[in-house]
Structure formats: structure tokens, C-alpha cells
Amino acid sequence: QLRLQESGPGLVKPSETLSLTCTVSDDSISLNYWSWIRQAPGKRLEWIAYVHSNGEVNYNPSLESRATISVDTSKNQVSLKLNSVTAADTAVYYCARGSTGRYFWGQGSQVIVSS
Amino acid sequence: EIVLTQSPGALSLSPGERATLSCRASQSVDAIFFDWYQQRPGQPPRLLIYGASTRAAGIPDRFSGSGSGTDFTLTISGLEPEDSAVYYCQQYSYSPYTFGPGTKVEIK
């Protein structure tokens, strides 16, 4: 069964860049779309972006200027970079299979933005 | 951006009872692009219903979805203790794809 494992630093300083990696457990990385979705404390789930290995990407306009999503099929990994972070970027970040909906979710990675 | 509003915010019911959860969109969405998710404490969301009314693989038939346009409903018939969770609706008819704030279901 597919497993998605997010990994990241856990703590990021304000104004720095948040970097997260999602490792996909099977060989489906080239066949599917992959998304990042976050859940800030007390806030609703927020779709960040999706990517496909064919080069297609799409971003939430609210985060497009700061986010970069990518896929590395040789490593079976999907990555997210979010620059110029603030406390408002504190959240659990989920990797998910799917582009727009019908998501299959990883366990999530907690990221706290604090000095 | 389409805003989804869920009601009630929370409900507390006994095992065996029926739960009716509502999700309203700020404008009409295509039901094909409307999902429901369940999130148990400490777990990621899990897809329950897609296309407004189709149960995802492995989801018990006590979960059912309906609706169209701006009004959608998730019904849980015969609540089980493991149904204690937060339930989210999501639309992906229009980008950005948005989620509702959730309805928390407590089993007494």
C-alpha cells in the first residue's frame, strides 16, 4: 500500500526558507500528481500546490510568490520550498497524492516558525 | 475564491444515532468535484466521499453523501465510536481548491 512520508526541519526562523520532502513508497511517482496541503492551528486546510513529473505545476495564488514545488523521480521524492516564512506559516504540512481532490494523505510534518 | 461553510460546528450524538452534516458553498460548484474527508485525532484526513456521493474504497456504507450546486450533505447512519472525528468538505471545481472549517462529531 502507498505510504507517503514527509520530512523537514520542524523549526524554521522567520524570513528563512522552509524545505520539506515527501518520500513516496512505491513506483507510482511518475504516474500521479502530488500536492502539498497545510493545516495551521485553528485554521482550515489550505491547498498549496500540485506537481506532475511531466512538468505541470499549479499554485494557490495566495502562496505562489513564495512557494516552489518539485518532483525528483530518481529519488521518489516530492519537495516543497516556502521562502520568507512568518509565524503565519506555522502548520502541519501534508503531502498528498492527487492534484485537485480525492487526496491520499501522508502523516504530515509539523513546522513551527519561530526565532 | 469559493468559501465553504459547514454546519453545525460540532455535534454530540450517541452510538447508533444518525449524524447529518452540511456544507454550503459561496457559489455553485460541480458535484463531480466535491469531496468529504474524515480526520481522527492525530491522524491525517482520509477520503470518505468523492463526487459528492461516491464512497471511497473501504468506506462503510453507513456513510453517504448527497447534494448539488451550493448545498451538500454528509450523513452517517448508525454512528459507531470510531466515527468520532472532524469531517471536512472540499471543492475543486474552481482553483484555488478550498476546504470547509470542519464539523467535529463526538460520540457520547
Side-chain angles (χ1 to χ4, degrees):
Chain A
Q1 182 176 345
L2 175 67
R3 289 183 61 228
L4 304 176
Q5 184 62 60
E6 300 92 341
S7 58
L11 180 66
V12 182
K13 289 182 169 55
S15 80
E16 295 189 344
T17 296
L18 178 164
S19 294
L20 292 167
T21 298
C22 170
T23 301
V24 179
S25 65
D26 65 13
D27 293 331
S28 67
I29 193 164
S30 297
L31 302 175
N32 291 289
Y33 286 84
W34 306 93
S35 293
W36 286 96
I37 299 162
R38 69 181 182 178
Q39 189 171 33
K43 301 283 189 179
R44 59 185 72 194
L45 292 156
E46 181 178 33
W47 167 73
I48 300 171
Y50 72 69
V51 65
H52 193 281
S53 61
N54 65 9
E56 183 180 354
V57 296
N58 190 19
Y59 293 94
N60 188 321
S62 68
L63 294 164
E64 185 168 15
S65 63
R66 298 194 294 126
T68 302
I69 190 171
S70 60
V71 60
D72 186 336
T73 55
S74 67
K75 295 182 179 179
N76 264 25
Q77 291 180 338
V78 184
S79 297
L80 175 71
K81 294 186 186 300
L82 187 65
N83 60 34
S84 305
V85 298
T86 69
D89 295 310
T90 292
V92 176
Y93 285 76
Y94 293 100
C95 171
R97 182 186 65 193
S99 56
T100 59
R102 301 190 194 184
Y103 295 117
F104 177 86
W105 306 65
Q107 289 297 309
S109 179
Q110 172 73 60
V111 176
I112 297 172
V113 179
S114 175
S115 56
Chain B
E1 176 174 315
I2 292 180
V3 178
L4 299 179
T5 303
Q6 292 187 242
S7 61
L11 69 165
S12 181
L13 296 168
S14 298
E17 290 191 304
R18 170 178 294 193
T20 302
L21 285 63
S22 174
C23 181
R24 176 163 290 178
S26 59
Q27 65 186 76
S28 182
V29 300
D30 191 331
I32 294 175
F33 305 121
F34 192 91
D35 296 346
W36 288 95
Y37 293 88
Q38 176 194 64
Q39 187 175 30
R40 293 172 174 148
Q43 295 294 316
R46 175 177 72 144
L47 180 65
L48 285 180
I49 301 285
Y50 63 91
S53 61
T54 302
R55 277 188 303 277
I59 301 303
D61 59 8
R62 64 178 182 273
F63 292 92
S64 63
S66 64
S68 64
T70 60
D71 292 294
F72 297 85
T73 300
L74 174 69
T75 302
I76 313 172
S77 304
L79 281 163
E80 302 276 353
E82 62 265 29
D83 298 334
S84 180
V86 180
Y87 294 83
Y88 297 98
C89 55
Q90 188 221 348
Q91 70 80 27
Y92 46 110
S93 198
Y94 298 97
S95 181
Y97 319 114
T98 52
F99 294 83
T103 292
K104 184 175 183 178
V105 175
E106 177 196 61
I107 310 301
K108 295 177 183 175

